[in-house]
Amino acid sequence: MKSKTKEILEAVSKGEMSVDDALLQIKTEPFVDIDYAKVDTHRKHRQGMPEVIYGAGKTPEQIVGIVKAMQDSGEEQILITRLSAERAEILKQSIDIKYFEEARIGFLGEAPKADGIGKIVVATGGTSDIPVAEEAAVTAECFGNEVVRLYDVGVAGIHRLMSHKEEIMSASVIIAIAGMEGALASVIGGLADAPVIAVPTSVGYGASFEGLSALLSMLNSCASGVSVVNIDNGFGAGYLASMINHMEVKA
Amino acid sequence: MKSKTKEILEAVSKGEMSVDDALLQIKTEPFVDIDYAKVDTHRKHRQGMPEVIYGAGKTPEQIVGIVKAMQDSGEEQILITRLSAERAEILKQSIDIKYFEEARIGFLGEAPKADGIGKIVVATGGTSDIPVAEEAAVTAECFGNEVVRLYDVGVAGIHRLMSHKEEIMSASVIIAIAGMEGALASVIGGLADAPVIAVPTSVGYGASFEGLSALLSMLNSCASGVSVVNIDNGFGAGYLASMINHMEVKA
Amino acid sequence: MKSKTKEILEAVSKGEMSVDDALLQIKTEPFVDIDYAKVDTHRKHRQGMPEVIYGAGKTPEQIVGIVKAMQDSGEEQILITRLSAERAEILKQSIDIKYFEEARIGFLGEAPKADGIGKIVVATGGTSDIPVAEEAAVTAECFGNEVVRLYDVGVAGIHRLMSHKEEIMSASVIIAIAGMEGALASVIGGLADAPVIAVPTSVGYGASFEGLSALLSMLNSCASGVSVVNIDNGFGAGYLASMINHMEVKA
Amino acid sequence: MKSKTKEILEAVSKGEMSVDDALLQIKTEPFVDIDYAKVDTHRKHRQGMPEVIYGAGKTPEQIVGIVKAMQDSGEEQILITRLSAERAEILKQSIDIKYFEEARIGFLGEAPKADGIGKIVVATGGTSDIPVAEEAAVTAECFGNEVVRLYDVGVAGIHRLMSHKEEIMSASVIIAIAGMEGALASVIGGLADAPVIAVPTSVGYGASFEGLSALLSMLNSCASGVSVVNIDNGFGAGYLASMINHMEVKA
Amino acid sequence: MKSKTKEILEAVSKGEMSVDDALLQIKTEPFVDIDYAKVDTHRKHRQGMPEVIYGAGKTPEQIVGIVKAMQDSGEEQILITRLSAERAEILKQSIDIKYFEEARIGFLGEAPKADGIGKIVVATGGTSDIPVAEEAAVTAECFGNEVVRLYDVGVAGIHRLMSHKEEIMSASVIIAIAGMEGALASVIGGLADAPVIAVPTSVGYGASFEGLSALLSMLNSCASGVSVVNIDNGFGAGYLASMINHMEVKA
Amino acid sequence: MKSKTKEILEAVSKGEMSVDDALLQIKTEPFVDIDYAKVDTHRKHRQGMPEVIYGAGKTPEQIVGIVKAMQDSGEEQILITRLSAERAEILKQSIDIKYFEEARIGFLGEAPKADGIGKIVVATGGTSDIPVAEEAAVTAECFGNEVVRLYDVGVAGIHRLMSHKEEIMSASVIIAIAGMEGALASVIGGLADAPVIAVPTSVGYGASFEGLSALLSMLNSCASGVSVVNIDNGFGAGYLASMINHMEVKA
Amino acid sequence: MKSKTKEILEAVSKGEMSVDDALLQIKTEPFVDIDYAKVDTHRKHRQGMPEVIYGAGKTPEQIVGIVKAMQDSGEEQILITRLSAERAEILKQSIDIKYFEEARIGFLGEAPKADGIGKIVVATGGTSDIPVAEEAAVTAECFGNEVVRLYDVGVAGIHRLMSHKEEIMSASVIIAIAGMEGALASVIGGLADAPVIAVPTSVGYGASFEGLSALLSMLNSCASGVSVVNIDNGFGAGYLASMINHMEVKA
Amino acid sequence: MKSKTKEILEAVSKGEMSVDDALLQIKTEPFVDIDYAKVDTHRKHRQGMPEVIYGAGKTPEQIVGIVKAMQDSGEEQILITRLSAERAEILKQSIDIKYFEEARIGFLGEAPKADGIGKIVVATGGTSDIPVAEEAAVTAECFGNEVVRLYDVGVAGIHRLMSHKEEIMSASVIIAIAGMEGALASVIGGLADAPVIAVPTSVGYGASFEGLSALLSMLNSCASGVSVVNIDNGFGAGYLASMINHMEVKA
């Protein structure tokens, strides 16, 4: 940004730009204002990565409006999260999206090819955690990562997890997804030498308190290298995993 | 109790006992009332097992009074829990107790010899859980059980636990003690084919919320055969483990 | 497992087995991977006991797939928990299950005959706790136990409980099920000389907070020999009670 | 108040009182303002009953100031709650109080003689609950009630409670005090036909959460006729019990 | 009960009753066991008062069964709480009940005439609290009390409450019902010289947390003479108020 | 009120008013009692401002009744909050209201013209917070304020907020509305030199716990000049903002 | 800021300022960086108002360092909050502060004379709330406001509050401070036509949960015009009250 | 691990190793058992990185024992966390550690030179968060990273943060540390294009609930790329940041 401001100042100094134009440029908003949303159009991020719309709590009309604004700004890949099948059907009438039902994700455009440091492992404690896992996995794939899915490897049958030790040991980043007691993150964190992103899920009943039990468990993990995102936040985990898996690109 | 009442009734019927004596006997309290405490003296339990005094919140004078009342009723073994070293010193001036410092247990008399079905394994996630574990282990020993201690085998280094798989597989009952994320109970529950008594501890900081995290984690264990006692309740776990380990005696 | 590994090593040593076959055998997964689930097929447990499928959060198709995988592995008895009547109807079209409506349990095969140490008493505080109680009772029966049901014996009318004192005194294991204030576990724990498995239920309103009140109450029970499972976890209680009631078989 | 206002209005009407005097009288504060406290001096209550000062969070100087203001208004009996032994010593230098150490109550003047409908039973679950019980009992005695103390009759040894069934059945009002699981209130509520005032105490550890467990348990009591006051609020229970025990005086 | 046992013993002593008959009588259950419920038939309570069935969580068939068992035991007045209009319609086909829709109470038989010490005031903070208030008021009426309803007198418009100061000052017992901040109980407790039963309601939104805010507020009331029942527990308040309002009958 | 009472007293003194009439006037209730509601009719507030009916938990009939009572007392502007579209349709059959759908507000009469000190800024973190924001904005407009809406300026894209720095800097009062992490209030509080009213919303999922996360965040704001209202309480914020924006009118 | 940037640009345009100087000026930090703190020196606020240092969690050395940095920037009035008497003594050795012990506030310089719209009333429920009230009152005074203190006017003795109705009615802003049930805010909110800033305090015991009860109560206030700050946050309330009380200055 | 087992099997096959030696090797524990701790000695991790001892809850004797066991296994760098100054003094008598007082870290040996992808920024909201920040920063430095410290840049004075935008934009990984409302993580997450590790601290009072408020706020961050560790867990953040900052080394 410094250079941009400096350029403007130099242009003003040289008389190539009027004071008012300079003021305008410095003040120009890096987003499009469509009243109910301020759509980022100059967002910081690596080239070729999709824009993201958080679909929950938005009407189909609002989503279409935001997509159009993004497309007008030249965005070619757009990922829409928390999109129910019903609302995806409505969107399909206006925009050309591919819909991943289990992940509740709509995607517009082509995903970049997988080019990260290594593979991202997405592991779940049980079968019921799969929708959250798919949100994470599809997100990571749409952001250019190769994903290995290890579902239903919860700690109550530790041999199921152990039989996949090699995938876990060789992963670049691991997303550990579990409800109930959420112990999966600790056990994986103890086995692996890679960052572990723990996702508590609202799977369970009674004293799982809608994911609170798994959340606390994961925050208290005594394994190093484990961090936690919000309950059921598969997208956040997939996005962060992709960011870490592309670290070398930046350096 | 039926037979006792029947005996009394028969004695009355035969004129061997007066109505008033019978009434008195039926009403007799099976405890000694020493004002600030009602000391059970006919307690239900297997022969030769100790009486228990919960030491917290009682003055040394109250404890001595209760011990005396028990001894007057013929009790020879008495176990006092939650007894600080300072208060143990005071007690030693009046009564002849052996003090287990780490377990904070005072014991009076001789422990019965170990005669349970098998061995009780007491496992902890970390070094800081040892005081609770000792409360459980010493309790179990005082109630006539052989105890195997497996300390610091938390799930973050799962190979430490795995290297003791044989002790775990051959245990009669297992007490799994852990703070922080409390995952130990689930992993042991998944490995073993024995009842697992989970004891959450208040070890940890921040979002461990004084043991709440471990407690919820253990209650949500997806392994079968796991049940939970109160935070830091080593005594309760040791007592219940002993009860289960002596099941055949009863049958 | 030691002997198994030793056998393999000896076979390799004697040239009876190739290195690669040995490696394969050591690595062989003791479960069948059907993608959305890893089905345990060599599970640790006493012979003749059923496998268990936790039905909640699984589609009927997933359940049928898991049942088939189990049957292919030679499993003859399968218990499916948390199965609604509607989904049971769908399952009946593919697999031959007996359905216990109040317990929400589907069972496939023949239950082993009752052969435990003694009887398991299942007691409830109120009429509304019966579904959880039936889950516990049917589970225990399917695992080969004789069950005595004592329903609606809550502590607010303590004489109702007292009139069943004999069943309680003679039980091998007791499952105490209650919502609201959850005091039943403490009172039974004080009367009986058997392990008490306490099951808090979500029955109640207001400050019962979906079972939290009963859960806390049971965890704080001042009666010895009481442990607790998750809110509404009838299955867990029935399974653990069966495990304890078959203790002598193991020794 | 109506009659007072009417009297004043009539006096004004008759010219016996000036408008300004009337205005003054209508506005006169029924308390003495000593800056850091507004001391009630016309409080609503039965004749001969003590005034009460909540001692916690007040300096000895403030308490003495309030006592003086009350005495100046003609008050002869004053009860000071939550008064530590140290601060009681300081107070004794200025005012003539009798100090009940276990109850942490200071009392000034003579208690009215016991004249209620019947007896108030104060029962506790354990020995550690006695300080709260004494606060309730001494309060009730200072307000003119006969009190029966039943300490350490918790539900884990239900026969201890049952042996005092007669006192419970014949009580006018019962105060049930317990920490941990707080079941005492429900069991007494189920036995007695009198109002039961339940007092949860902060006695316990771990999942007792400083009295929360007992509080929730008591609020969820399925016995009718039970109501609850704040954790450790012995005074509140004693005061309310006295109020109920003097109901007929009012009618 | 003492006299009953003594009578039996005397009869046995005199040979008027056999040992077995005596045993039977002593053991006879003071309730009818209809499997899913144990119906109290000798319940402790003043003559002429209704039996109560807690309707929530019971099927109409179960309720009818319990009513029949009560009627067979000679009970003439039965009050059924938490009864929805739909289920009341079903019940009306089998039993002759009067239905109070707002209170969700069904009543069978004639209410005793109002004969308490004085009047019971039922006050609410707002209009939305009326269903809980009606549950309390109808209960009190069915138990023989005169009830004064003061609805929508919340503290935010304190003059509305003040204008009814006379009813409040002259009440025998007051039931203060409020959601949201629950301040009504404290203000009424400060005005009145009668026991105040506070009922928090689940009325509100956001940080009212389904009645938790009002509950805590009422438990912390700094006014003396206030006790609390469970959230939305209008019945409990009405029953307890009636018990207190009939205190003199007992003495 | 003083002057009113003084006037009455003077009239009595002069014989212009009888004692009984005076008594009546002093006692006259400043509200209309329509049984299920006590309708304030002399409410304290600036002239020309609307009366408010909290619509939630009231039947359409009750609302109409209250509106009529207000109109009979001469009230010309009435604002009804928490009014669903369906119930608004029903109301329209009886009373002449304008309905703001997104704000769920019904309004009767003409809003006073905007005459406050300055403008009220209503800012939201996201698109999903708009309904709460509209409740605040429409309320403020109906109470005579000019409102500037800044929607979807959450802190995750801080430049969107910064580009509106001038509106924020020049606002008279700011209402900051956000769910999830609720950081908007702190950032705005740090930028602006005006009172900030923070409104947490229930927007979010998982660990947002229905607005609790945003609520706590806002209460802990380290920016000075920030205060908080209940979760989703757009009305309360709008009302308070209007009150502050009209401060000079009062002085 | 706009004009400042424009000025710089114009200077550059006219050749009066070099590009590098302009760049420097635009980037100049409006604070002094003393490593452990970034001291604001150009803070937005009305002229003549004090700077504020939050004293908790800072060493005396750090506070002195920050004070010096502020003084070097020309600041003449500095207010230090949460300053214990011990640490105030240490500070006095280096800087010339006046210390308000009950308020735990240190002040350096002269307070501006009171020049707000009207008076700020600071009211407390009890005597124990006075320290928080003094923090609010002294803050308001140091920011140039006249303060009226109404202490110990809690709702349990509503006449104490009512006797000060005139002060309350004529206040410009009211700060209502209470622990325990926190009802004071609602009652004052219902009486007054001024903004009410509610401050929950941690005064209380048991179910007051360190101020949580009062906090929830105040957030749920059904009186309009009430907003809430953090528990025990007297400073925040005093600062906001001053801001509101100086509203007309800004317009 | 596969290759190791394969090597052993091949050695056995070739007769180069006996069956018993093979068995021994396969079973050899990769840790040293010193009774109260199982010290990992073959831990998975990059070469040259320190071992870590969690110092809290361990006696100085236990720590020395663990250090000795690690040194005996050839470990040269050891980092000890949560070490108070007092206990560091005791340790210094036995082992040669460097002590970082503010970070409460003891370090033995030489830290590897900084060789990560880029710089790690450690930012705090306030001055009181510095101890947690130092724990993170010193950890990162001991693991071979260059660290940039940005302290006291909380969001309430957003320009302080903005003036360090360049450091933030160019960081490889960012650790955002804040108590109270915890908004720092969201704002930094919105500015930066690097993984953000959020650390809530227990700094604050009242409704900060010992860090719960900041924790929830951070978990709900609407900025992408943010994950969270336990309250006050500076070490965990520093360790994870180092792991991410060394990603390219692994690939």
Side-chain angles (χ1 to χ4, degrees), chain C residues 155-158 162 180-183 186-187 189-191 204-209 212-213 216-223, chain D residues 155-158 162 180-183 186-187 189-191 204-209 212-213 216-223:
Chain C
V155 299
I158 198 87
M162 289 303 181
M180 299 169 89
E181 91 272 64
S186 289
V187 174
L191 287 174
Y205 63 92
S208 80
F209 295 125
L212 177 62
S213 170
L216 292 179
S217 191
M218 287 167 167
L219 284 166
N220 282 287
S221 176
C222 42
Chain D
V155 299
I158 198 88
M162 289 303 180
M180 299 170 87
E181 91 272 63
S186 289
V187 174
L191 287 173
Y205 63 92
S208 81
F209 296 124
L212 177 63
S213 170
L216 292 179
S217 190
M218 287 167 166
L219 283 167
N220 281 287
S221 176
C222 43

Side-chain angles (χ1 to χ4, degrees), chain F residues 78-96:
Chain F
I78 301 172
L79 188 148
I80 309 165
T81 64
R82 303 281 161 120
L83 188 65
S84 65
E86 292 75 13
R87 287 157 71 242
E89 280 311 307
I90 300 176
L91 286 192
K92 279 180 179 174
Q93 296 165 11
S94 316
I95 51 179
D96 180 29

Side-chain angles (χ1 to χ4, degrees), chain H residues 52-141:
Chain H
V52 179
I53 301 171
Y54 175 65
K58 295 201 179 70
T59 64
E61 292 71 32
Q62 289 176 329
I63 294 175
V64 170
I66 295 171
V67 166
K68 298 288 190 204
M70 284 178 172
Q71 289 178 318
D72 291 350
S73 302
E75 192 61 53
E76 291 174 353
Q77 296 134 321
I78 301 173
L79 189 149
I80 309 165
T81 63
R82 302 279 161 121
L83 187 66
S84 66
E86 291 75 14
R87 287 158 71 242
E89 280 310 305
I90 300 174
L91 286 191
K92 280 181 179 173
Q93 297 165 9
S94 316
I95 51 178
D96 180 31
I97 59 166
K98 181 173 178 190
Y99 184 62
F100 299 85
E101 183 154 4
E102 206 153 23
R104 288 180 304 156
I105 284 179
F107 190 70
L108 189 144
E110 287 299 309
K113 69 182 256 299
D115 62 352
I117 296 173
K119 295 177 189 171
I120 294 174
V121 164
V122 178
T124 76
T127 298
S128 311
D129 302 313
I130 292 181
V132 177
E134 281 299 307
E135 190 182 273
V138 170
T139 296
E141 287 166 346

Side-chain angles (χ1 to χ4, degrees), chain A residues 156 181 183 186 190 207-208 213 217 220 222, chain B residues 156 181 183 186 190 207-208 213 217 220:
Chain A
E181 90 272 64
S186 289
S208 80
S213 170
S217 191
N220 281 287
C222 41
Chain B
E181 91 272 64
S186 289
S208 80
S213 170
S217 191
N220 282 287

Side-chain angles (χ1 to χ4, degrees), chain B residues 179-215:
Chain B
M180 300 169 86
E181 91 272 64
L184 187 67
S186 289
V187 174
I188 287 183
L191 288 173
D193 184 28
V196 175
I197 303 169
V199 189
T201 71
S202 53
V203 167
Y205 62 93
S208 80
F209 294 125
E210 307 293 314
L212 178 62
S213 170
L215 171 62

